[in-house]
Amino acid sequence: MGQGRQEKVATSLAGAVSEEISASLAPVDAELERRYPGDPGTRQPVHTVYVPGDAFTAGTIRSWGDQALAALDEHAPGAAAFAAVLGLPDDLAEPVHSRVRAKLEREPVEDLRVDFEDGYGPRPDAEEDEAAARAARLIAEAYAEGTAAPYMGIRMKCMEAAVRDRGIRTLDIFLTGLIAAGGLPGGLVLTLPKVTYPEQVTAMVRLLEAFEKTHGLEPGRIGFEIQIETSQSILATDGTATVARMIQAAEGRATGLHYGTFDYSACLGVSAAHQASDHPAADHAKAVMQVAAAGTGVRVSDGSTNVLPVGPTAKVHDAWRLHYGLTRRALARAYYQGWDMHPGHLPTRYAAVFAFYREGLEQAAARLARYADRVGGDVMDEPATAKALSGYLLRGLDCGALDNGEVARLTGLTRAGLEGFAMPRRGDLTASGK
């Protein structure tokens, strides 16, 4: 009764009230846009491979892929054997195994960092100069020849007094070599380790500003990751979250926060036998990193395991199960990237990632399709959930776990449609009031 009746709409407040409120909140609106621009929408690699500066060669990426394939052939020949080691269900055994092998043949490494810090150590200046120049030349050649990983760069020494000048010089040699070889590649990534104070981040910003000005580059062209490896980087002496201040100190240049499992654990006094990415101390640090980075466009990366899959088959299987479990645990906690320290980690990195996305494909696609078509189901979804669902599918597509065709068939959406849900405007997420 009365459904077709025209309602009388009345208000009590003058239009000037809304205008005054909007004017008073204009600085807050601008601050929100500046500090929380949202995810950049670019691909995030599922891992970062670290290779010491003296060990990196033109064949490193292909060698890692070949070694990983050889490990599969030796220790788990065939889909059933590999699934049995990891406990994969029968319906995922063949899809995961075939995709892992294809990935190792096509793109074994998604992100590579030539290491001039802990993995390289102190060397004579002339030796490190030579290694930095060689890294620049090899990375430039790899991008020119189409053999590069999607993302590549270096980890320099930190901004602490004892190694500061050496780290700055290495970075300068590396970046100057790239410029001389034709320019900075699009996939360039730099890592600043052992950051303890926001002022060290500011120093990195000033350093990159000086380099950009020297070479006439667009301001802000060069970004960098901040490595979280000390207790002071999580909690400052005044009780504030240092890592949040570091993100702001980067002035928009921070691209990632990378957790350093072993340095951080040692800093807190965790004994060597218990230093792992699933230790409660690690969970706390990464939770603080995650909250500090949320909405800023800065991605969070988990650390690594130092248990290597080497030796007899039984030992390799134990290491694989450990790495697979840690990777799956990280994915469930929304840490979509981690470190891999050995070629033998690649099979289980990709197996964990591919299983994570394939086992949830149909449910995520169905929920997103119902949301897009405004059809009800057994779950009441809203814009924030649609963002998560589409982001999940996009990550699966980017790493090779999913195919464009199957996602389009299940969702009825193109990649552009998925991206529209994954990167909504700020008001679209808050319109429901939830």
Side-chain angles (χ1 to χ4, degrees):
M1 182 177 177
Q3 288 294 322
R5 181 177 174 179
Q6 184 72 34
E7 297 289 346
K8 181 179 180 181
V9 178
T11 62
S12 301
L13 300 176
V17 174
S18 178
E19 293 173 4
E20 289 173 4
I21 289 176
S22 293
S24 71
L25 289 177
V28 172
D29 295 338
E31 189 80 343
L32 278 171
E33 290 297 327
R34 184 177 72 84
R35 292 185 182 272
Y36 301 100
D39 190 87
T42 55
R43 174 183 179 180
Q44 181 180 10
V46 302
H47 69 168
T48 300
V49 162
Y50 279 79
V51 179
D54 58 331
F56 177 62
T57 70
T60 291
I61 293 176
R62 186 62 266 152
S63 174
W64 273 58
D66 291 343
Q67 290 180 67
L69 287 165
L72 266 180
D73 292 338
E74 178 179 357
H75 301 294
F82 193 45
V85 173
L86 303 180
L88 290 171
D90 291 344
D91 63 325
L92 284 180
E94 178 55 37
V96 168
H97 181 262
S98 62
R99 286 172 185 271
V100 167
R101 291 196 67 90
K103 182 75 170 182
L104 295 174
E105 291 167 356
R106 181 187 75 255
E107 187 183 72
V109 175
E110 291 196 358
D111 183 27
L112 185 143
R113 207 71 70 251
V114 183
D115 191 15
F116 289 94
E117 204 234 353
D118 285 349
Y120 185 74
R123 305 291 181 96
D125 283 339
E127 183 177 339
E128 185 161 341
D129 286 353
E130 174 71 17
R134 183 175 64 250
R137 175 178 59 81
L138 292 176
I139 288 176
E141 289 175 355
Y143 276 106
E145 296 166 2
T147 59
Y151 301 94
M152 298 184 76
I154 67 168
R155 177 169 70 166
M156 60 190 280
K157 290 178 171 62
C158 70
M159 284 291 181
E160 293 179 358
V163 295
R164 182 185 305 138
D165 289 344
R166 180 63 261 182
I168 291 173
R169 180 173 174 83
T170 296
L171 180 63
D172 187 7
I173 291 170
F174 176 70
L175 293 177
T176 300
L178 290 177
I179 292 289
L184 304 181
L188 175 67
V189 188
L190 306 175
T191 304
L192 179 66
K194 292 184 175 59
V195 183
T196 304
Y197 284 84
E199 289 82 358
Q200 294 167 328
V201 175
T202 300
M204 183 68 164
V205 172
R206 300 288 89 83
L207 176 62
L208 296 178
E209 284 178 342
F211 188 88
E212 290 166 350
K213 185 175 181 180
T214 298
H215 292 278
L217 300 175
E218 178 185 357
R221 165 64 180 85
I222 310 173
F224 61 97
E225 301 164 337
I226 301 169
Q227 200 157 5
I228 304 301
E229 303 179 89
T230 67
S231 60
Q232 298 92 338
S233 62
I234 294 296
L235 192 68
T237 56
D238 62 0
T240 60
T242 317
V243 65
R245 293 164 56 201
M246 289 177 179
I247 291 173
Q248 298 309 314
E251 300 177 20
R253 292 178 185 266
T255 59
L257 300 174
H258 283 229
Y259 177 67
T261 305
F262 305 103
D263 281 284
Y264 187 86
S265 299
C267 184
L268 269 62
V270 179
S271 61
H274 297 282
Q275 292 178 358
S277 62
D278 59 351
H279 190 280
D283 284 341
H284 171 259
K286 287 180 286 187
V288 174
M289 292 162 58
Q290 189 174 48
V291 173
T296 65
V298 178
R299 270 79 176 264
V300 174
S301 173
D302 199 357
S304 62
T305 176
N306 59 358
V307 179
L308 304 184
V310 297
T313 294
K315 188 176 179 182
V316 170
H317 286 181
D318 286 342
W320 272 354
R321 280 188 284 266
L322 174 65
H323 186 241
Y324 178 86
L326 289 174
T327 303
R328 286 301 306 262
R329 183 180 190 273
L331 289 167
R333 286 159 174 75
Y335 308 132
Y336 298 113
Q337 185 175 354
W339 297 8
D340 287 327
M341 312 302 288
H342 188 274
H345 286 142
L346 298 185
T348 39
R349 169 67 62 183
Y350 291 124
V353 170
F354 293 169
F356 177 75
Y357 290 111
R358 292 211 64 80
E359 69 188 15
L361 167 61
E362 292 191 2
Q363 182 185 50
R367 287 178 66 180
L368 186 59
R370 288 195 297 269
Y371 179 86
D373 293 337
R374 300 191 180 279
V375 175
D378 58 354
V379 179
M380 183 177 291
D381 289 325
E382 56 184 65
T385 309
K387 177 182 179 180
L389 291 168
S390 54
Y392 172 87
L393 296 173
L394 286 167
R395 288 179 183 277
L397 288 170
D398 284 342
C399 70
L402 310 177
D403 297 327
N404 285 307
E406 64 182 342
V407 172
R409 175 175 55 82
L410 291 169
T411 63
L413 298 168
T414 63
R415 183 178 180 101
L418 292 175
E419 291 173 345
F421 284 116
M423 292 175 284
R425 296 169 299 175
R426 183 179 303 279
D428 293 338
L429 285 179
T430 57
S432 65
K434 299 178 182 179

